[in-house]
Each structure stands twice: as structure tokens, then as C-alpha cells.
Amino acid sequence: MDIEIDIESGEPLFEQLVSQIKSAVKARKLTPGDGLPTIRQLAGDLRINNKTVAKAYRLLERDSVIQTKGYRGTFIHPDALANSAFDIKVHVHGLLGNVIAKLRQEGATDSEIRIAFSELMKSPLTMPTDNGEKTHA
Amino acid sequence: MDIEIDIESGEPLFEQLVSQIKSAVKARKLTPGDGLPTIRQLAGDLRINNKTVAKAYRLLERDSVIQTKGYRGTFIHPDALANSAFDIKVHVHGLLGNVIAKLRQEGATDSEIRIAFSELMKSPLTMPTDNGEKTHA
DNA sequence: ATTTGTACCATTTGATGTAAGGGTACAAGT
DNA sequence: ACTTGTACCCTTACATCAAATGGTACAAAT
């Protein structure tokens, strides 16, 4: 598995890592059980910061594309192929986009939307308020 | 109708204007048909910028608390009392808050949410996409 | 004890937003 | 013609965040 990074590209480094590994999974170049280099190893090879690689790994694990097993290292997740198809960015874009469109339609200014958003993002303890109409089962 | 502005208060000037006029309506100090000072007049009296007052008036008219009649000036809206009760900030907070809570719960990072939000707010042409989306896997 | 991912402290750089101010110009209503 | 709200150009000061880097420290697994 070759991972290459383009510093010049506008795309964030951690994002390049994530999409390259997902692509490799989709292309069957990486299959469940395959081992990945350690964070420090990969960071050293690419000459980038450990934290940048760690960030990519963290996201990949959240998406269940990889699996970390402590001391033993990091491996391709059993369901990696299916999970690589899902892009949470698209999901977030969809849900947020609908609400924004609705609010704009109702007359809310972009400033009002932005300010409310900022305030909401400041409190990390947001619990779902379930006063919506389309609650799914 | 006395309008007073506190420059020292952290609250934005245009917001002070809006809330004071809404309060006056709720307190029946301003009733439908009452005339308001012109933007330039009020800005001069309070020694603030025209645009600050104009912004407050624009928001008040959007909320149908006041009504501008071109040359004749600005007046309290017939339904001002009812409309003063509605606070769009609360509404925006509610809708946005639910989506944010849901996305966080689904594992989206705050960065991902913020970035998607920024991208969406950049395109002023957002149309409602009405997709009856449910929970993903 | 060693290596793993991870968490925490910090920093710099660049982008982007709000709020407010200043000036100029214009269509619409009377 | 005159005044209205409004639209556009610009600027300032302030705040926040992303991305990346650097260093230190730690629980878990063997």
C-alpha cells in the first residue's frame, strides 16, 4: 500500500490520508485484516506530524474502516468495504443544508443563522430535543 | 417613545433597538399606526450610524412589527403585538440545535459540522432539498 | 518493559465572520 | 422637488476557527 501526500494540494493532509485509504479499500488493495503502518511510522515516512496521521486514523476508525488493537497495531476493519462507501460529509451536508434552506426561506438572515450556529457549537453537551415532527422509529 | 442606547453594553446596537421597540409594542406604548422616527432622524438623535438603525428597521419589518411606507415613513404594523411575541432567534436555535445534536450523536466531529456549515452558507442559493432522509446504517 | 493509540499542553498561519462606521446613489411615493 | 427606505462601494476592530506542528505523558496490551 503506497500512500502519497501532496503538500501543495489545497486538500488537508489528514483528508488526503483518509480518502486514499478508503480508495484503497474500495479498490481491494486493502482487505479486512491487512495491517497498516503505525502512526509514528507513517508520519515519519511522509515526514508529517504524528498528530496529522493520528487524526486521519481516528476518523477512519470512527467510520469503521480501520480497527485499532492497542499494542498490536491498526488493521482494516471486517466491514471496511461497505463502510468506505459512506461519506459522513455528504450526510452532514444534507441534513444541515435542509435546515439552512428552511430557515432562509422563513426569513432568517444569514447572520442570525450563523450566530445561532456558533452559540450552539460552543456547548459540547447538546442533547437531542426531540420536538421535531419526523422522528424516525 | 424613548429609545436609549447603551454603547457599553455588550449587546449589539441594532439588537438593542429591535428589542426596545418590540418591548414598547408589548407594553402598549407603541400601538398599530403609530409613527416611528425616520432612520436618519433616529440615527442622528442617538448619534449612531444610519446603517445601524436601518438594520434594526429591516429586521423589524421582516418580523412584521413595523411597516415602511416609502415617503410617508415607518409605522407600527397592525399585527405588531402578536408578531412581537415571536423571536426568530429562538426558532433558529431550536431547528439548528436539533440537527447539530443529531449529527454529533451520529459521530460527526464539530470540525466536520462547522466546515459543512461554512460551505453551505457560502452559496446564497440554497433551495430546500426535501429529501425524506432517515437514519443511515 | 516496550510499543500501541491517544490525550493534553502549547504555537503559528490563514481564512472568515460580525458589528459598526462613512460615503454615495437611486427608485418610489407624494 | 423632496424625503423615504434602501442598495452599493469601502474601512476598521475584534473574535473564532481550521490545519498543522512540537513536546510530554499515559493506559492498555503483550
Side-chain angles (χ1 to χ4, degrees), chain A residues 12-14 40 48-49 51-52 55 71-72 122:
Chain A
L13 303 183
F14 76 91
R40 291 170 177 85
I48 61 180
N49 196 278
K51 306 197 63 167
T52 303
K55 186 175 184 177
Y71 168 65
R72 302 178 55 195
K122 277 177 191 167

Side-chain angles (χ1 to χ4, degrees), chain B residues 2 5 8 12 14 20-21 29 46 52 69 78 94 97 101 114 123:
Chain B
D2 313 313
I5 291 301
E8 300 305 322
F14 76 91
Q20 282 197 33
I21 290 175
K29 291 181 191 166
L46 299 175
T52 303
K69 299 188 176 179
R114 269 191 244 260
S123 39

Side-chain angles (χ1 to χ4, degrees), chain A residues 24-25 28-35 75-77 80:
Chain A
V25 169
R28 272 75 167 182
K29 291 181 190 166
L30 285 177
T31 54
D34 286 358
F75 303 89
I76 299 296
H77 191 278

Side-chain angles (χ1 to χ4, degrees), chain A residues 17-67:
Chain A
L17 292 177
V18 169
S19 70
Q20 283 196 32
I21 290 174
K22 280 191 178 179
S23 293
V25 169
K26 287 187 222 171
R28 272 75 167 182
K29 291 181 190 166
L30 285 177
T31 54
D34 286 358
L36 274 78
T38 70
I39 287 178
R40 291 170 177 85
Q41 175 73 46
L42 186 52
D45 289 352
L46 299 175
R47 255 164 253 137
I48 61 180
N49 196 278
N50 287 353
K51 306 197 63 167
T52 303
V53 178
K55 186 175 184 177
Y57 274 36
R58 197 183 326 127
L59 292 174
L60 285 166
E61 184 168 34
R62 178 205 56 188
D63 294 343
S64 296
V65 171
I66 66 175
Q67 221 173 8

Side-chain angles (χ1 to χ4, degrees), chain B residues 11-15 40 47-49 51-52 55 69 71-72 122:
Chain B
E11 195 183 7
L13 303 182
F14 76 91
E15 216 168 288
R40 293 171 176 85
R47 255 166 253 136
I48 61 180
N49 195 278
K51 307 198 59 165
T52 303
K55 185 174 184 178
K69 299 188 176 179
Y71 169 64
R72 303 178 54 196
K122 277 177 190 167

Side-chain angles (χ1 to χ4, degrees), chain B residues 103-122:
Chain B
L103 290 174
R104 278 172 165 165
Q105 201 175 315
E106 290 170 339
T109 67
D110 279 15
S111 283
E112 286 168 336
I113 296 174
R114 269 191 244 260
I115 288 172
F117 179 83
S118 292
E119 285 172 2
L120 287 162
M121 294 303 285
K122 277 177 190 167

